[in-house]
Amino acid sequence: MIKKSFKLENNYLLDDKYKVLFSIKKGQYAETYRVKTNDNQVKFLKLFSYSKLHKTQFDSEGKVLEIEILKKLNHPNIVKFIDSGNLIIDKQKYSYLVLEYISGETIAEMIKRETVINHYEAKDIIKGVLNGLEYLHNLSIPIIHNDISSLNIMLDLSKNIPTVKIIDFGYSRYLNQSHNEFNKDGLDPYFSANEIFNKIFSVQSDVFSVGALYYKLLFGIPPWYNELSRFKKDKTNLEEQVLTERKKPLKFLNSNFKIKENIINVIVKALDSNVDNRFKNVEEFLKAINEDLKIEITSNKKKDKLNKPS
């Protein structure tokens, strides 16, 4: 196995303010680190390589869009912006983003550990995600996250009551941005709405992703799960395979927990391929979860009590 080499070594002092403790993850255009400030506070740092960023990841002023978006956000269910800056390393230009350090785990890690989540806990997680999205979608210029998945939702376990945190705004866009300014490469197809494959995003695209997350929390696998590894080098066929599966009724697997019919109906509506049949917004989604809005689904859109695949 080839070891990935990171740009910054342990103990590297970045911008005279952040001491690298260790590297966390290396992606296509950015690396992430745990760092310590001069006053010994632990933070999360993301280092962007300008030469590897896609043109759609910059704003109209040539700044990294993800950083500029996070600067404007302040909500308990969204990761908190701390600092940012630009620097030159080995004659190459970089930007860095410093975020609060979240002491906890991602939903993906949680599911890997517990397989499925009881419906009370799943409901609380989904409500936290929807509260964060409600804030984003109701800004003066709405922001669409576009990458809600089990990897991008964290549980902050530093306090008695876990707090949901939406992280990773690399695919986030302002609603009024052109679809030409959106690069969908790298998105998890299981959590992406049908229209995302055509680079069309809206508040209802995020609604679909939350529905897919809700399904995975309850059943341990994404909706319409199908092995896609054979399509990794052929994105067009991969997307066609995903869309073909979604033409079939949504299957609900046997679960260790009894799941209410209302929850099943909520998930089916959130995952409807037709945007017009989905929840119009996250506020409507929240009302349905809280049973303030009754959802009725025709039986041909779902199929219950199927054995769970290994």
Side-chain angles (χ1 to χ4, degrees), residues 237-275:
N237 279 341
L238 184 148
E239 291 177 3
E240 288 178 357
Q241 181 66 26
V242 170
L243 295 174
T244 298
E245 284 296 312
R246 289 180 184 174
K247 292 177 182 177
K248 302 174 184 177
L250 182 60
K251 300 174 183 178
F252 287 88
L253 314 169
N254 288 331
S255 174
N256 298 331
F257 306 102
K258 186 177 180 180
I259 299 172
K260 295 169 69 174
E261 182 72 12
N262 176 68
I263 294 175
I264 298 295
N265 290 343
V266 164
I267 291 174
V268 171
K269 186 172 180 66
L271 291 173
D272 203 300
S273 297
N274 187 337
V275 175

mmCIF file of all heavy atoms in Angstrom, residues 237-275:
data_model
loop_
_atom_site.group_PDB
_atom_site.id
_atom_site.type_symbol
_atom_site.label_atom_id
_atom_site.label_comp_id
_atom_site.label_asym_id
_atom_site.label_seq_id
_atom_site.Cartn_x
_atom_site.Cartn_y
_atom_site.Cartn_z
ATOM 1 N N ASN A 237 -22.406 5.402 -16.801
ATOM 2 C CA ASN A 237 -23.135 4.166 -16.532
ATOM 3 C C ASN A 237 -23.483 4.027 -15.061
ATOM 4 O O ASN A 237 -24.524 3.467 -14.705
ATOM 5 C CB ASN A 237 -22.318 2.953 -16.986
ATOM 6 C CG ASN A 237 -22.443 2.708 -18.484
ATOM 7 O OD1 ASN A 237 -23.372 3.194 -19.118
ATOM 8 N ND2 ASN A 237 -21.505 1.972 -19.049
ATOM 9 N N LEU A 238 -22.616 4.536 -14.180
ATOM 10 C CA LEU A 238 -22.892 4.492 -12.742
ATOM 11 C C LEU A 238 -24.159 5.285 -12.438
ATOM 12 O O LEU A 238 -25.059 4.794 -11.740
ATOM 13 C CB LEU A 238 -21.710 5.059 -11.962
ATOM 14 C CG LEU A 238 -21.797 5.009 -10.434
ATOM 15 C CD1 LEU A 238 -20.400 4.846 -9.826
ATOM 16 C CD2 LEU A 238 -22.449 6.252 -9.856
ATOM 17 N N GLU A 239 -24.244 6.493 -12.970
ATOM 18 C CA GLU A 239 -25.421 7.328 -12.721
ATOM 19 C C GLU A 239 -26.671 6.703 -13.321
ATOM 20 O O GLU A 239 -27.744 6.726 -12.708
ATOM 21 C CB GLU A 239 -25.187 8.730 -13.290
ATOM 22 C CG GLU A 239 -24.122 9.510 -12.518
ATOM 23 C CD GLU A 239 -23.832 10.869 -13.123
ATOM 24 O OE1 GLU A 239 -24.506 11.236 -14.113
ATOM 25 O OE2 GLU A 239 -22.933 11.565 -12.612
ATOM 26 N N GLU A 240 -26.546 6.121 -14.508
ATOM 27 C CA GLU A 240 -27.689 5.473 -15.150
ATOM 28 C C GLU A 240 -28.173 4.283 -14.322
ATOM 29 O O GLU A 240 -29.384 4.045 -14.211
ATOM 30 C CB GLU A 240 -27.319 5.022 -16.564
ATOM 31 C CG GLU A 240 -27.183 6.175 -17.548
ATOM 32 C CD GLU A 240 -26.758 5.724 -18.937
ATOM 33 O OE1 GLU A 240 -26.520 4.503 -19.121
ATOM 34 O OE2 GLU A 240 -26.666 6.585 -19.837
ATOM 35 N N GLN A 241 -27.223 3.553 -13.735
ATOM 36 C CA GLN A 241 -27.578 2.418 -12.894
ATOM 37 C C GLN A 241 -28.345 2.883 -11.658
ATOM 38 O O GLN A 241 -29.344 2.276 -11.253
ATOM 39 C CB GLN A 241 -26.308 1.666 -12.470
ATOM 40 C CG GLN A 241 -26.545 0.438 -11.600
ATOM 41 C CD GLN A 241 -27.273 -0.671 -12.345
ATOM 42 O OE1 GLN A 241 -27.199 -0.770 -13.560
ATOM 43 N NE2 GLN A 241 -27.975 -1.512 -11.605
ATOM 44 N N VAL A 242 -27.870 3.967 -11.037
ATOM 45 C CA VAL A 242 -28.538 4.524 -9.856
ATOM 46 C C VAL A 242 -29.955 4.960 -10.209
ATOM 47 O O VAL A 242 -30.917 4.648 -9.495
ATOM 48 C CB VAL A 242 -27.733 5.715 -9.283
ATOM 49 C CG1 VAL A 242 -28.533 6.447 -8.211
ATOM 50 C CG2 VAL A 242 -26.410 5.232 -8.707
ATOM 51 N N LEU A 243 -30.108 5.671 -11.322
ATOM 52 C CA LEU A 243 -31.424 6.175 -11.729
ATOM 53 C C LEU A 243 -32.368 5.035 -12.107
ATOM 54 O O LEU A 243 -33.579 5.104 -11.855
ATOM 55 C CB LEU A 243 -31.274 7.151 -12.903
ATOM 56 C CG LEU A 243 -30.518 8.448 -12.582
ATOM 57 C CD1 LEU A 243 -30.302 9.273 -13.850
ATOM 58 C CD2 LEU A 243 -31.262 9.271 -11.542
ATOM 59 N N THR A 244 -31.825 3.984 -12.706
ATOM 60 C CA THR A 244 -32.644 2.821 -13.059
ATOM 61 C C THR A 244 -33.196 2.151 -11.813
ATOM 62 O O THR A 244 -34.377 1.783 -11.744
ATOM 63 C CB THR A 244 -31.816 1.798 -13.876
ATOM 64 O OG1 THR A 244 -31.391 2.405 -15.094
ATOM 65 C CG2 THR A 244 -32.644 0.553 -14.191
ATOM 66 N N GLU A 245 -32.356 1.989 -10.794
ATOM 67 C CA GLU A 245 -32.789 1.382 -9.527
ATOM 68 C C GLU A 245 -33.898 2.204 -8.877
ATOM 69 O O GLU A 245 -34.817 1.666 -8.270
ATOM 70 C CB GLU A 245 -31.605 1.256 -8.561
ATOM 71 C CG GLU A 245 -30.641 0.127 -8.880
ATOM 72 C CD GLU A 245 -31.287 -1.249 -8.771
ATOM 73 O OE1 GLU A 245 -31.962 -1.521 -7.750
ATOM 74 O OE2 GLU A 245 -31.130 -2.045 -9.714
ATOM 75 N N ARG A 246 -33.811 3.513 -9.025
ATOM 76 C CA ARG A 246 -34.787 4.392 -8.371
ATOM 77 C C ARG A 246 -36.156 4.374 -9.045
ATOM 78 O O ARG A 246 -37.111 4.952 -8.519
ATOM 79 C CB ARG A 246 -34.238 5.830 -8.321
ATOM 80 C CG ARG A 246 -33.100 5.976 -7.328
ATOM 81 C CD ARG A 246 -32.565 7.392 -7.287
ATOM 82 N NE ARG A 246 -31.412 7.472 -6.385
ATOM 83 C CZ ARG A 246 -30.663 8.547 -6.224
ATOM 84 N NH1 ARG A 246 -30.941 9.655 -6.912
ATOM 85 N NH2 ARG A 246 -29.644 8.548 -5.394
ATOM 86 N N LYS A 247 -36.256 3.742 -10.183
ATOM 87 C CA LYS A 247 -37.562 3.588 -10.829
ATOM 88 C C LYS A 247 -38.368 2.465 -10.171
ATOM 89 O O LYS A 247 -39.578 2.348 -10.401
ATOM 90 C CB LYS A 247 -37.374 3.293 -12.322
ATOM 91 C CG LYS A 247 -36.809 4.476 -13.106
ATOM 92 C CD LYS A 247 -36.564 4.118 -14.564
ATOM 93 C CE LYS A 247 -35.943 5.302 -15.321
ATOM 94 N NZ LYS A 247 -35.631 4.956 -16.733
ATOM 95 N N LYS A 248 -37.691 1.662 -9.363
ATOM 96 C CA LYS A 248 -38.342 0.560 -8.658
ATOM 97 C C LYS A 248 -38.929 1.072 -7.343
ATOM 98 O O LYS A 248 -38.471 2.081 -6.815
ATOM 99 C CB LYS A 248 -37.331 -0.553 -8.379
ATOM 100 C CG LYS A 248 -36.656 -1.107 -9.620
ATOM 101 C CD LYS A 248 -35.566 -2.110 -9.237
ATOM 102 C CE LYS A 248 -34.817 -2.611 -10.461
ATOM 103 N NZ LYS A 248 -33.708 -3.538 -10.095
ATOM 104 N N PRO A 249 -39.945 0.376 -6.799
ATOM 105 C CA PRO A 249 -40.475 0.774 -5.489
ATOM 106 C C PRO A 249 -39.372 0.732 -4.428
ATOM 107 O O PRO A 249 -38.492 -0.122 -4.474
ATOM 108 C CB PRO A 249 -41.549 -0.278 -5.213
ATOM 109 C CG PRO A 249 -41.926 -0.811 -6.557
ATOM 110 C CD PRO A 249 -40.671 -0.765 -7.374
ATOM 111 N N LEU A 250 -39.422 1.649 -3.498
ATOM 112 C CA LEU A 250 -38.430 1.694 -2.422
ATOM 113 C C LEU A 250 -38.682 0.551 -1.450
ATOM 114 O O LEU A 250 -39.793 0.384 -0.943
ATOM 115 C CB LEU A 250 -38.519 3.041 -1.703
ATOM 116 C CG LEU A 250 -37.522 3.286 -0.580
ATOM 117 C CD1 LEU A 250 -36.084 3.208 -1.084
ATOM 118 C CD2 LEU A 250 -37.780 4.653 0.069
ATOM 119 N N LYS A 251 -37.668 -0.250 -1.215
ATOM 120 C CA LYS A 251 -37.796 -1.412 -0.331
ATOM 121 C C LYS A 251 -37.425 -1.032 1.097
ATOM 122 O O LYS A 251 -36.447 -0.325 1.317
ATOM 123 C CB LYS A 251 -36.878 -2.543 -0.814
ATOM 124 C CG LYS A 251 -37.185 -3.028 -2.217
ATOM 125 C CD LYS A 251 -36.153 -4.047 -2.678
ATOM 126 C CE LYS A 251 -36.420 -4.495 -4.119
ATOM 127 N NZ LYS A 251 -35.395 -5.459 -4.596
ATOM 128 N N PHE A 252 -38.233 -1.517 2.037
ATOM 129 C CA PHE A 252 -37.918 -1.309 3.449
ATOM 130 C C PHE A 252 -37.592 -2.650 4.074
ATOM 131 O O PHE A 252 -38.379 -3.581 4.041
ATOM 132 C CB PHE A 252 -39.084 -0.616 4.162
ATOM 133 C CG PHE A 252 -39.193 0.824 3.793
ATOM 134 C CD1 PHE A 252 -39.936 1.215 2.695
ATOM 135 C CD2 PHE A 252 -38.503 1.778 4.502
ATOM 136 C CE1 PHE A 252 -40.008 2.551 2.321
ATOM 137 C CE2 PHE A 252 -38.572 3.105 4.150
ATOM 138 C CZ PHE A 252 -39.326 3.499 3.055
ATOM 139 N N LEU A 253 -36.389 -2.741 4.618
ATOM 140 C CA LEU A 253 -35.850 -3.994 5.106
ATOM 141 C C LEU A 253 -36.312 -4.297 6.518
ATOM 142 O O LEU A 253 -36.743 -3.406 7.252
ATOM 143 C CB LEU A 253 -34.317 -3.924 5.063
ATOM 144 C CG LEU A 253 -33.728 -3.362 3.762
ATOM 145 C CD1 LEU A 253 -32.260 -3.088 3.919
ATOM 146 C CD2 LEU A 253 -33.971 -4.336 2.628
ATOM 147 N N ASN A 254 -36.203 -5.539 6.891
ATOM 148 C CA ASN A 254 -36.468 -5.899 8.276
ATOM 149 C C ASN A 254 -35.513 -5.160 9.187
ATOM 150 O O ASN A 254 -34.322 -5.058 8.912
ATOM 151 C CB ASN A 254 -36.299 -7.411 8.489
ATOM 152 C CG ASN A 254 -37.431 -8.197 7.860
ATOM 153 O OD1 ASN A 254 -38.546 -7.694 7.741
ATOM 154 N ND2 ASN A 254 -37.151 -9.419 7.448
ATOM 155 N N SER A 255 -36.016 -4.616 10.262
ATOM 156 C CA SER A 255 -35.191 -3.851 11.193
ATOM 157 C C SER A 255 -35.304 -4.434 12.586
ATOM 158 O O SER A 255 -36.285 -5.107 12.931
ATOM 159 C CB SER A 255 -35.633 -2.385 11.214
ATOM 160 O OG SER A 255 -34.950 -1.665 12.206
ATOM 161 N N ASN A 256 -34.268 -4.201 13.396
ATOM 162 C CA ASN A 256 -34.304 -4.644 14.787
ATOM 163 C C ASN A 256 -35.281 -3.807 15.614
ATOM 164 O O ASN A 256 -35.636 -4.177 16.716
ATOM 165 C CB ASN A 256 -32.904 -4.534 15.410
ATOM 166 C CG ASN A 256 -31.901 -5.425 14.712
ATOM 167 O OD1 ASN A 256 -32.259 -6.465 14.176
ATOM 168 N ND2 ASN A 256 -30.636 -5.028 14.709
ATOM 169 N N PHE A 257 -35.697 -2.673 15.066
ATOM 170 C CA PHE A 257 -36.598 -1.777 15.776
ATOM 171 C C PHE A 257 -37.901 -1.624 14.991
ATOM 172 O O PHE A 257 -37.903 -1.607 13.773
ATOM 173 C CB PHE A 257 -35.951 -0.395 15.958
ATOM 174 C CG PHE A 257 -34.605 -0.438 16.624
ATOM 175 C CD1 PHE A 257 -33.441 -0.314 15.869
ATOM 176 C CD2 PHE A 257 -34.494 -0.606 17.992
ATOM 177 C CE1 PHE A 257 -32.200 -0.353 16.473
ATOM 178 C CE2 PHE A 257 -33.251 -0.645 18.604
ATOM 179 C CZ PHE A 257 -32.105 -0.523 17.840
ATOM 180 N N LYS A 258 -38.998 -1.491 15.713
ATOM 181 C CA LYS A 258 -40.290 -1.262 15.069
ATOM 182 C C LYS A 258 -40.340 0.181 14.589
ATOM 183 O O LYS A 258 -40.152 1.113 15.369
ATOM 184 C CB LYS A 258 -41.429 -1.546 16.046
ATOM 185 C CG LYS A 258 -42.804 -1.474 15.400
ATOM 186 C CD LYS A 258 -43.899 -1.834 16.380
ATOM 187 C CE LYS A 258 -45.267 -1.744 15.701
ATOM 188 N NZ LYS A 258 -46.366 -2.089 16.640
ATOM 189 N N ILE A 259 -40.588 0.375 13.300
ATOM 190 C CA ILE A 259 -40.589 1.708 12.715
ATOM 191 C C ILE A 259 -42.014 2.090 12.339
ATOM 192 O O ILE A 259 -42.713 1.349 11.654
ATOM 193 C CB ILE A 259 -39.671 1.751 11.484
ATOM 194 C CG1 ILE A 259 -38.239 1.415 11.903
ATOM 195 C CG2 ILE A 259 -39.709 3.121 10.819
ATOM 196 C CD1 ILE A 259 -37.286 1.241 10.757
ATOM 197 N N LYS A 260 -42.422 3.263 12.802
ATOM 198 C CA LYS A 260 -43.793 3.720 12.588
ATOM 199 C C LYS A 260 -44.071 3.971 11.111
ATOM 200 O O LYS A 260 -43.190 4.366 10.350
ATOM 201 C CB LYS A 260 -44.040 4.995 13.395
ATOM 202 C CG LYS A 260 -43.976 4.787 14.897
ATOM 203 C CD LYS A 260 -43.970 6.112 15.644
ATOM 204 C CE LYS A 260 -45.308 6.810 15.525
ATOM 205 N NZ LYS A 260 -45.365 8.041 16.361
ATOM 206 N N GLU A 261 -45.322 3.760 10.724
ATOM 207 C CA GLU A 261 -45.739 3.968 9.342
ATOM 208 C C GLU A 261 -45.509 5.410 8.907
ATOM 209 O O GLU A 261 -45.145 5.670 7.754
ATOM 210 C CB GLU A 261 -47.231 3.611 9.205
ATOM 211 C CG GLU A 261 -47.784 3.734 7.798
ATOM 212 C CD GLU A 261 -47.283 2.631 6.859
ATOM 213 O OE1 GLU A 261 -46.696 1.652 7.343
ATOM 214 O OE2 GLU A 261 -47.494 2.771 5.641
ATOM 215 N N ASN A 262 -45.676 6.338 9.840
ATOM 216 C CA ASN A 262 -45.479 7.752 9.501
ATOM 217 C C ASN A 262 -44.041 8.021 9.049
ATOM 218 O O ASN A 262 -43.809 8.769 8.098
ATOM 219 C CB ASN A 262 -45.810 8.628 10.711
ATOM 220 C CG ASN A 262 -45.534 10.098 10.446
ATOM 221 O OD1 ASN A 262 -46.201 10.729 9.644
ATOM 222 N ND2 ASN A 262 -44.515 10.644 11.106
ATOM 223 N N ILE A 263 -43.075 7.393 9.724
ATOM 224 C CA ILE A 263 -41.674 7.586 9.360
ATOM 225 C C ILE A 263 -41.398 7.020 7.973
ATOM 226 O O ILE A 263 -40.698 7.629 7.163
ATOM 227 C CB ILE A 263 -40.743 6.942 10.415
ATOM 228 C CG1 ILE A 263 -40.884 7.679 11.749
ATOM 229 C CG2 ILE A 263 -39.290 6.960 9.947
ATOM 230 C CD1 ILE A 263 -40.099 7.044 12.890
ATOM 231 N N ILE A 264 -41.963 5.843 7.703
ATOM 232 C CA ILE A 264 -41.810 5.228 6.381
ATOM 233 C C ILE A 264 -42.337 6.179 5.306
ATOM 234 O O ILE A 264 -41.691 6.422 4.275
ATOM 235 C CB ILE A 264 -42.557 3.881 6.306
ATOM 236 C CG1 ILE A 264 -41.974 2.868 7.316
ATOM 237 C CG2 ILE A 264 -42.525 3.319 4.884
ATOM 238 C CD1 ILE A 264 -40.564 2.459 7.047
ATOM 239 N N ASN A 265 -43.520 6.746 5.538
ATOM 240 C CA ASN A 265 -44.126 7.651 4.568
ATOM 241 C C ASN A 265 -43.302 8.928 4.376
ATOM 242 O O ASN A 265 -43.181 9.446 3.255
ATOM 243 C CB ASN A 265 -45.547 8.016 5.005
ATOM 244 C CG ASN A 265 -46.510 6.842 4.880
ATOM 245 O OD1 ASN A 265 -46.216 5.867 4.185
ATOM 246 N ND2 ASN A 265 -47.644 6.922 5.540
ATOM 247 N N VAL A 266 -42.735 9.425 5.467
ATOM 248 C CA VAL A 266 -41.888 10.622 5.400
ATOM 249 C C VAL A 266 -40.671 10.362 4.512
ATOM 250 O O VAL A 266 -40.312 11.182 3.655
ATOM 251 C CB VAL A 266 -41.437 11.052 6.817
ATOM 252 C CG1 VAL A 266 -40.267 12.040 6.750
ATOM 253 C CG2 VAL A 266 -42.599 11.683 7.574
ATOM 254 N N ILE A 267 -40.036 9.209 4.705
ATOM 255 C CA ILE A 267 -38.844 8.875 3.924
ATOM 256 C C ILE A 267 -39.191 8.711 2.448
ATOM 257 O O ILE A 267 -38.478 9.208 1.564
ATOM 258 C CB ILE A 267 -38.186 7.594 4.480
ATOM 259 C CG1 ILE A 267 -37.586 7.873 5.869
ATOM 260 C CG2 ILE A 267 -37.097 7.078 3.529
ATOM 261 C CD1 ILE A 267 -37.048 6.642 6.579
ATOM 262 N N VAL A 268 -40.311 8.025 2.167
ATOM 263 C CA VAL A 268 -40.730 7.825 0.773
ATOM 264 C C VAL A 268 -40.961 9.162 0.082
ATOM 265 O O VAL A 268 -40.526 9.375 -1.061
ATOM 266 C CB VAL A 268 -42.002 6.947 0.710
ATOM 267 C CG1 VAL A 268 -42.564 6.921 -0.718
ATOM 268 C CG2 VAL A 268 -41.690 5.528 1.163
ATOM 269 N N LYS A 269 -41.621 10.085 0.771
ATOM 270 C CA LYS A 269 -41.905 11.402 0.175
ATOM 271 C C LYS A 269 -40.611 12.192 -0.052
ATOM 272 O O LYS A 269 -40.425 12.814 -1.098
ATOM 273 C CB LYS A 269 -42.856 12.201 1.066
ATOM 274 C CG LYS A 269 -43.304 13.523 0.443
ATOM 275 C CD LYS A 269 -44.386 14.187 1.272
ATOM 276 C CE LYS A 269 -44.849 15.511 0.655
ATOM 277 N NZ LYS A 269 -45.533 15.314 -0.647
ATOM 278 N N ALA A 270 -39.701 12.146 0.919
ATOM 279 C CA ALA A 270 -38.430 12.874 0.791
ATOM 280 C C ALA A 270 -37.596 12.345 -0.367
ATOM 281 O O ALA A 270 -36.843 13.092 -0.997
ATOM 282 C CB ALA A 270 -37.635 12.781 2.084
ATOM 283 N N LEU A 271 -37.734 11.041 -0.668
ATOM 284 C CA LEU A 271 -36.918 10.398 -1.691
ATOM 285 C C LEU A 271 -37.614 10.289 -3.047
ATOM 286 O O LEU A 271 -37.122 9.587 -3.933
ATOM 287 C CB LEU A 271 -36.514 8.993 -1.219
ATOM 288 C CG LEU A 271 -35.528 8.928 -0.052
ATOM 289 C CD1 LEU A 271 -35.350 7.487 0.409
ATOM 290 C CD2 LEU A 271 -34.180 9.517 -0.458
ATOM 291 N N ASP A 272 -38.719 10.972 -3.219
ATOM 292 C CA ASP A 272 -39.427 10.902 -4.494
ATOM 293 C C ASP A 272 -38.555 11.462 -5.616
ATOM 294 O O ASP A 272 -37.955 12.528 -5.475
ATOM 295 C CB ASP A 272 -40.747 11.687 -4.417
ATOM 296 C CG ASP A 272 -41.744 11.213 -5.460
ATOM 297 O OD1 ASP A 272 -41.422 11.296 -6.671
ATOM 298 O OD2 ASP A 272 -42.838 10.761 -5.075
ATOM 299 N N SER A 273 -38.466 10.750 -6.711
ATOM 300 C CA SER A 273 -37.649 11.198 -7.849
ATOM 301 C C SER A 273 -38.199 12.462 -8.477
ATOM 302 O O SER A 273 -37.452 13.269 -9.040
ATOM 303 C CB SER A 273 -37.568 10.085 -8.907
ATOM 304 O OG SER A 273 -36.912 8.959 -8.379
ATOM 305 N N ASN A 274 -39.499 12.644 -8.374
ATOM 306 C CA ASN A 274 -40.149 13.840 -8.899
ATOM 307 C C ASN A 274 -40.078 14.960 -7.853
ATOM 308 O O ASN A 274 -40.647 14.842 -6.774
ATOM 309 C CB ASN A 274 -41.609 13.524 -9.242
ATOM 310 C CG ASN A 274 -42.306 14.669 -9.952
ATOM 311 O OD1 ASN A 274 -41.900 15.824 -9.848
ATOM 312 N ND2 ASN A 274 -43.362 14.349 -10.687
ATOM 313 N N VAL A 275 -39.381 16.028 -8.190
ATOM 314 C CA VAL A 275 -39.191 17.137 -7.248
ATOM 315 C C VAL A 275 -40.531 17.670 -6.747
ATOM 316 O O VAL A 275 -40.668 18.032 -5.575
ATOM 317 C CB VAL A 275 -38.378 18.272 -7.915
ATOM 318 C CG1 VAL A 275 -38.283 19.475 -6.994
ATOM 319 C CG2 VAL A 275 -36.979 17.791 -8.276
#
